[in-house]
Amino acid sequence: MKISKIHLTNFKRFADLLIDNIPSASKLVLLIGANGSGKSSLFDAFGFMDTAIKDNYGRDDEFRNYYKKQKDSPASVAISFDNHSEITVNSDNYHILYPKKLSATTFYGRTSFRQIPRLTRTSLGKGEQVDFQKDSDRPRFFIERDNRFENDVEKITEVIVKEIFRLQQSGEQIRQKYIYPINSALENIFGSGNGTKLQLIEIIPPLEGKVAQITFRKGDSEFHYNYLSAGEKEVFNLLINFLSRGSFFQDTIYAFDEIDLHLNTKLQFNLLKEITENWIPENCQLWTASHSLGFIEYAKQSDIASIIDFDDLDFDIPRVLTPVPKDNPEIYEIAVGKEFLASLFRQMSIYFVENKDKEYYATVGIANTVFVSENDRNSVYHKVKATNNKGIVDRDFLSDDDIVQIRKHYPNLTLLDYYSIENYLYHPDNLSEYYNSKNKAFDREEYITQLTEAKNKAKDTFIPALTSRRTGYPYFGEPDQNERTALQNRFKNRGENEAQSAIVAAYLNSNDFDVYYKSLPMKSYCTELPQRQNIPKSDLAKTQWFKAKIENLT
């Protein structure tokens, strides 16, 4: 069972959050974002659903109110699965809607508070009675400590003892069933070097007033679980949990919060790969959250993983999130700041671009090139001017001579040949290719005629403001140098600005398409033309014409 869509209303951080279009092939869904961005609130939604299905917690006011963003309105969670089943839960009446009753094993979650520094039980049966199939020892909320580990150890050791005495299992059979899978995973995660290879040697139940004897070997040394490192304990905790309970959860959404704790980047990658590919059953889906580079890199490389970006979003307003493109280097910014991208992508060209334009550049798929989003034109300019980075910005209301001078003084800054990226997307040649690919008619000359008419109707709304608009351009804003005084006046309230503005105005007053189109703000004007209606920009960015134009820029 896998989730295809989840909708949260008035739930924890979220006023109205829809996560949609999760591919059915996604065995892993990785949530990325800084601390406090809302990732753990989504895990609370899984716990909320789990409680509704199992129906084994008292629904007191604490439980009801814990999930509400606004206390005077109910919290609601709706989930759609790839098998077309659905579940919707409302906190106030806890009404559950679905076509058929879902299994008590639909969800299995673990909080980030799992680490047990040392074993404490000294006999079997000392802990609470646990119904493993009903997951009765799970925490009530995702902010609480997850104390399953010693229950898992006890379950494994209890089963081992029973199999030895009742089923007359040999030592080798026990090792194949319980020891070898753990050691295979430990080798995949920690490596096989003589000094780093970690091996589980034995699991002896807690007897005679002693804690369980879980012994490991590393190099020439043998030591008890209590003396593992924090990262090693974290990994072993997870593996024992899968080993003791995995058989009960074979058609399940696994929701594990921050399973990368205490691990370096390489081990993070190895752990997520091992858990996803070898321990999560094929018909299941793992949701986990992280801002670690290793997890992000694995999800980027894997064909069975999707990435949902929670970072820097205002969830007080409605939001729709979908899996982010994996060729978008911004997914790394959670773990690595933009200032480190150059070292991370040492063999690649990095271009900073304006805001959401990155989506269209990335769609082209230019070899050995990545595009990074900055807030606006000025941010890209300052990034390029102050570093050795490259950038692409809109032409805006620049004259041809403006562009010559800018290219001369800022060789790493590329200016579009047209006003904005939309001029490429809605260019008649690009639209012609798009319509032809859909076997639809497109009259290029008619489109240009209609475009010229629309331009002439709109031009008086922006031509008078050209001079003032240009004063916001950052070019040549450095301290005065005598030889560049005229250039520094180009974007100030001076004659040089007025002269170049008049040239741009002449472009826009022309009815020659090749003259006016380079300065026409296609993003905001001429939007009513029927030829550009109901076409996703992302589709227009996939044409060969568009790709060729962008490749020429880089």
Side-chain angles (χ1 to χ4, degrees):
M1 178 176 291
K2 296 175 182 176
I3 292 174
S4 59
K5 178 169 64 176
I6 180 168
H7 189 191
L8 291 78
T9 307
N10 194 44
F11 192 93
K12 295 296 293 289
R13 283 286 309 279
F14 311 116
D16 188 338
L17 171 65
L18 174 64
I19 300 176
D20 203 357
N21 296 326
I22 302 169
S24 59
S26 297
K27 190 178 181 183
L28 167 68
V29 180
L30 176 65
L31 312 179
I32 63 173
N35 292 329
S37 60
K39 304 185 300 296
S40 294
S41 292
L42 185 61
F43 289 99
D44 278 315
F46 295 136
F48 178 73
M49 284 294 200
D50 196 21
T51 297
I53 294 171
K54 290 185 172 69
D55 198 27
N56 62 347
Y57 278 138
R59 296 171 192 153
D60 53 31
D61 287 342
E62 178 193 11
F63 186 79
R64 296 174 188 274
N65 293 330
Y66 174 75
Y67 297 105
K68 296 179 180 179
K69 181 178 178 68
Q70 300 294 334
K71 300 306 179 186
D72 56 348
S73 300
S76 175
V77 178
I79 296 180
S80 299
F81 300 93
D82 63 345
N83 63 1
H84 306 297
S85 61
E86 299 176 352
I87 177 172
T88 301
V89 178
N90 179 300
S91 64
D92 281 7
N93 56 26
Y94 231 70
H95 184 51
I96 305 173
L97 303 173
Y98 38 61
K100 60 181 180 180
K101 184 170 178 60
L102 296 176
S103 165
T105 61
T106 298
F107 292 96
Y108 181 71
R110 298 207 66 188
T111 80
S112 60
F113 305 102
R114 297 177 300 271
Q115 229 254 19
I116 303 295
R118 60 176 58 246
L119 300 175
T120 59
R121 294 183 188 173
T122 55
S123 65
L124 291 172
K126 191 173 182 179
E128 61 181 311
Q129 193 68 27
V130 178
D131 186 327
F132 280 72
Q133 187 164 2
K134 291 184 178 179
D135 196 23
S136 63
D137 58 342
R138 75 188 190 282
R140 191 179 191 196
F141 302 111
F142 261 81
I143 60 170
E144 296 177 348
R145 178 160 292 281
D146 186 329
N147 291 314
R148 292 183 178 98
F149 179 63
E150 287 204 284
N151 292 337
D152 292 334
V153 171
E154 183 167 313
K155 180 69 173 177
I156 291 294
T157 55
E158 176 186 322
V159 169
I160 288 174
V161 170
K162 287 181 178 179
E163 291 188 0
I164 289 174
F165 288 100
R166 293 187 179 182
L167 302 179
Q168 298 184 342
Q169 297 281 300
S170 68
E172 180 60 24
Q173 288 173 312
I174 293 296
R175 283 191 292 271
Q176 286 183 359
K177 191 171 183 179
Y178 299 104
I179 303 296
Y180 293 164
I182 295 286
N183 281 337
S184 176
L186 292 176
E187 182 173 342
N188 291 338
I189 296 167
F190 293 106
S192 57
N194 291 334
T196 61
K197 185 175 182 178
L198 183 68
Q199 290 182 295
L200 174 64
I201 299 175
E202 61 185 6
I203 303 177
I204 300 175
L207 300 169
E208 300 178 345
K210 297 179 181 179
V211 299
Q213 297 304 298
I214 305 178
T215 307
F216 295 85
R217 178 185 292 119
K218 184 188 290 186
D220 297 329
S221 301
E222 294 184 6
F223 46 90
H224 189 268
Y225 164 86
N226 290 349
Y227 301 105
L228 292 175
S229 70
E232 290 167 340
K233 287 175 180 173
E234 175 69 23
V235 170
F236 185 67
N237 181 315
L238 291 169
L239 296 177
I240 283 291
N241 185 251
F242 282 117
L243 197 63
S244 65
R245 305 184 191 230
S247 61
F248 299 117
F249 299 94
Q250 294 290 309
D251 192 23
T252 300
I253 304 300
Y254 286 81
F256 284 19
D257 197 4
E258 295 187 351
I259 62 175
D260 55 328
L261 298 176
H262 314 295
L263 299 174
N264 65 41
T265 298
K266 179 180 178 181
L267 298 185
Q268 292 162 359
F269 182 101
N270 293 346
L271 173 63
L272 190 56
K273 176 180 173 64
E274 175 67 18
I275 295 299
T276 302
E277 298 179 10
N278 298 327
W279 293 81
I280 298 294
E282 283 305 311
N283 199 40
C284 298
Q285 189 178 59
L286 170 63
W287 289 64
T288 190
S290 177
H291 38 70
S292 71
L293 182 59
F295 272 29
I296 294 170
E297 181 61 22
Y298 172 75
K300 178 181 181 294
Q301 293 183 17
S302 174
D303 293 334
I304 57 173
S306 292
I307 301 173
I308 308 294
D309 189 355
F310 275 65
D311 199 46
D312 198 25
L313 296 175
D314 179 3
F315 288 114
D316 290 334
I317 61 176
R319 291 284 183 185
V320 177
L321 301 182
T322 57
V324 299
K326 293 183 182 179
D327 57 1
N328 175 8
E330 286 190 1
I331 62 177
Y332 290 104
E333 291 177 23
I334 302 301
V336 182
K338 289 180 180 178
E339 62 272 23
F340 300 113
L341 286 175
S343 59
L344 183 63
F345 296 100
R346 189 165 294 145
Q347 304 302 319
M348 305 181 77
S349 297
I350 300 173
Y351 282 85
F352 290 90
V353 299
E354 295 185 49
N355 204 356
K356 294 183 179 180
D357 288 0
K358 173 265 305 171
E359 299 174 16
Y360 312 121
Y361 292 116
T363 299
V364 171
I366 300 175
N368 300 319
T369 304
V370 293
F371 298 96
V372 182
S373 177
E374 280 292 335
N375 290 334
D376 51 29
R377 171 200 58 230
N378 289 16
S379 297
V380 174
Y381 163 76
H382 288 296
K383 179 73 71 174
V384 171
K385 184 172 71 72
T387 68
N388 291 323
N389 295 304
K390 298 178 181 180
I392 302 176
V393 295
D394 293 347
R395 175 185 178 121
D396 296 321
F397 292 122
L398 293 174
S399 69
D400 292 344
D401 189 62
D402 287 332
I403 293 175
V404 169
Q405 298 301 328
I406 291 170
R407 287 173 175 168
K408 176 182 177 181
H409 288 90
Y410 309 110
N412 283 343
L413 185 67
T414 298
L415 294 109
L416 296 183
D417 294 323
Y418 299 117
Y419 183 91
S420 69
I421 198 75
E422 281 75 16
N423 291 63
Y424 290 85
L425 297 174
Y426 298 115
H427 192 283
D429 292 343
N430 199 47
L431 287 173
S432 179
E433 180 181 336
Y434 170 80
Y435 276 105
N436 286 338
S437 70
K438 302 296 182 181
N439 294 317
K440 294 182 179 180
F442 176 76
D443 189 324
R444 186 181 187 278
E445 296 307 317
E446 180 182 6
Y447 174 68
I448 292 176
T449 298
Q450 294 178 5
L451 184 64
T452 305
E453 293 174 353
K455 179 268 297 184
N456 287 332
K457 290 179 181 178
K459 66 181 182 180
D460 289 341
T461 63
F462 51 82
I463 286 180
L466 287 177
T467 303
S468 61
R469 285 278 296 273
R470 286 167 52 91
T471 60
Y473 295 177
Y475 315 113
F476 313 119
E478 298 84 351
D480 287 344
Q481 301 174 27
N482 291 333
E483 68 274 20
R484 293 175 58 187
T485 300
L487 289 181
Q488 289 168 347
N489 287 338
R490 281 202 179 211
F491 304 111
K492 298 179 181 179
N493 287 318
R494 304 287 181 86
E496 290 86 347
N497 185 7
E498 293 176 356
Q500 298 303 318
S501 297
I503 293 172
V504 176
Y507 299 157
L508 290 164
N509 280 313
S510 171
N511 285 332
D512 184 329
F513 172 80
D514 291 327
V515 173
Y516 74 72
Y517 193 70
K518 59 190 175 186
S519 298
L520 179 62
M522 285 291 286
K523 182 175 183 178
S524 303
Y525 296 92
C526 306
T527 59
E528 72 283 359
L529 296 184
Q531 294 90 339
R532 59 182 284 183
Q533 301 302 311
N534 303 316
I535 305 177
K537 290 182 182 179
S538 57
D539 287 351
L540 293 174
K542 296 175 182 176
T543 66
Q544 291 302 309
W545 184 90
F546 182 82
K547 179 178 182 179
K549 291 295 184 182
I550 300 304
E551 285 179 334
N552 286 338
L553 293 172
T554 59

